[in-house]
């Protein structure tokens, strides 16, 4: 398994777990999970590009 | 139920603190998440033992603290961690450094269980007093 699928797996686990916390409606939980997963993906892609531009 | 007993049960049974609050869906999903992360971490040969002094020799103080904190985080998975130790407890700290994916998943399992426990204790505090004493 390469780094990207593994990072994606961790992002899915963390998004799912944090969406389950608290006293929220199912709709809010889905929004929260989707928002966090998307944020993780964007941060990973941005970080990857920054490292690529620095190190080549 | 007292918070200490709830914390102990929540540690031993992943997501178990939700069970005591009768939040069955959250309990089932956290049990699934923590157990599957722990099982995957064990399958990927993640290190699940406390680092021995010999393994930490030559490392600076901060790195030693980080290594011990990582081992502590894995222990937070409770029952899933104990099962992993019992079924496949041969992976030393150094073996875990070689199999980083597995070690990361084991650490994540522990942190997820801690998250569930903290949230359940918070929800308990927010509940009406009468329910707390039940």
């Amino acid at each position: 398994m390469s780094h990207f699928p593994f990072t994606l797996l961790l992002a899915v686990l963390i998004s799912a777990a944090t969406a389950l916390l608290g006293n929220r409606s199912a709709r809010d939980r889905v929004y929260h999970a989707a928002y966090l997963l998307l944020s993780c993906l964007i941060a990973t892609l941005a970080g990857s590009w920054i490292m690529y531009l620095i190190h080549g | 139920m007292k918070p200490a007993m709830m914390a102990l049960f929540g540690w031993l049974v992943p997501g178990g603190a939700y069970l005591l609050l009768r939040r069955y869906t959250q309990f089932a999903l956290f049990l699934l998440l923590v157990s599957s992360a722990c099982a995957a971490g064990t399958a990927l040969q993640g290190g699940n033992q406390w680092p021995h002094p010999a393994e930490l020799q030559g490392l600076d103080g901060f790195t030693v603290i980080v290594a011990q904190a990582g081992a502590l985080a894995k222990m937070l998975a409770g029952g899933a961690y104990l099962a992993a130790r019992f079924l496949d407890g041969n992976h030393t700290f150094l073996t875990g450094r070689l199999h980083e994916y597995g070690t990361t998943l084991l650490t994540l399992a522990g942190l997820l269980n801690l998250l569930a426990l903290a949230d359940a204790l918070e929800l308990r505090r927010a509940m009406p007093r009468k329910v707390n004493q039940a």
Side-chain angles (χ1 to χ4, degrees), chain A residues 1-3 13 17 20 22-23, chain B residues 23 26 29 33 101 112 119:
Chain A
M1 190 190 285
S2 65
H3 280 84
L13 284 173
L20 288 171
N23 215 352
Chain B
R23 289 174 169 264
Q26 280 171 307
L29 290 171
L33 277 175
Y101 285 179
L112 291 183
D119 184 52

Side-chain angles (χ1 to χ4, degrees), chain A residues 1-3 6 9-10 13-14 16-18 20-23 29, chain B residues 18 23 26 29-30 33 37 101 104-105 108 112 115-116 119 123:
Chain A
M1 190 190 285
S2 65
H3 280 84
F6 185 71
L9 173 69
L10 292 186
L13 284 173
I14 292 167
T18 50
L20 288 171
L21 300 176
N23 215 352
R29 290 186 199 280
Chain B
Y18 285 124
R23 289 174 169 264
Q26 280 171 307
L29 290 171
F30 260 103
L33 277 175
Y101 285 179
T104 306
L105 281 169
L108 184 72
L112 291 183
L115 201 60
D119 184 52
L123 287 171

Side-chain angles (χ1 to χ4, degrees), chain B residues 49-62:
Chain B
Q49 290 189 359
W50 188 261
H52 297 292
E55 293 174 315
L56 298 173
Q57 214 165 22
L59 298 176
D60 61 284
F62 179 71

Side-chain angles (χ1 to χ4, degrees), chain A:
Chain A
M1 190 190 285
S2 65
H3 280 84
F4 185 68
F6 185 71
T7 309
L8 200 61
L9 173 69
L10 292 186
V12 168
L13 284 173
I14 292 167
S15 305
T18 50
L20 288 171
L21 300 176
N23 215 352
R24 287 182 283 202
S25 66
R27 190 190 173 97
D28 279 352
R29 290 186 199 280
V30 172
Y31 279 148
H32 180 90
Y35 176 78
L36 193 61
L37 184 62
L38 199 66
S39 303
C40 286
L41 270 177
I42 290 168
T44 305
L45 289 173
S48 308
W49 271 104
I50 289 168
M51 281 190 283
Y52 176 72
L53 292 172
I54 291 171
H55 294 292

Side-chain angles (χ1 to χ4, degrees), chain B:
Chain B
M1 179 171 276
K2 286 184 179 173
M5 287 299 289
M6 197 172 162
L8 184 68
F9 187 72
W11 171 76
L12 197 60
V13 180
Y18 285 124
L19 184 64
L20 298 175
L21 295 178
R22 297 185 178 87
R23 289 174 169 264
Y24 301 114
T25 312
Q26 280 171 307
F27 162 65
L29 290 171
F30 260 103
L31 181 66
L32 182 73
L33 277 175
V34 174
S35 304
S36 54
C38 208
T42 307
L44 290 171
Q45 301 177 7
N48 54 14
Q49 290 189 359
W50 188 261
H52 297 292
E55 293 174 315
L56 298 173
Q57 214 165 22
L59 298 176
D60 61 284
F62 179 71
T63 312
V64 169
I65 290 171
V66 169
Q68 289 173 341
L72 187 68
K74 285 173 217 157
M75 288 177 181
L76 293 172
Y81 168 79
L82 294 175
R85 279 290 298 265
F86 180 71
L87 295 171
D88 194 24
N90 297 326
H91 302 302
T92 60
F93 173 72
L94 285 181
T95 316
R97 297 305 304 148
L98 293 173
H99 301 100
E100 280 185 330
Y101 285 179
T103 303
T104 306
L105 281 169
L106 287 174
T107 309
L108 184 72
L111 293 177
L112 291 183
N113 198 28
L114 178 67
L115 201 60
L117 186 56
D119 184 52
L121 287 171
E122 189 67 30
L123 287 171
R124 177 190 175 275
R125 201 163 53 173
M127 285 168 92
R129 194 88 182 144
K130 214 174 178 181
V131 181
N132 276 350
Q133 289 169 347

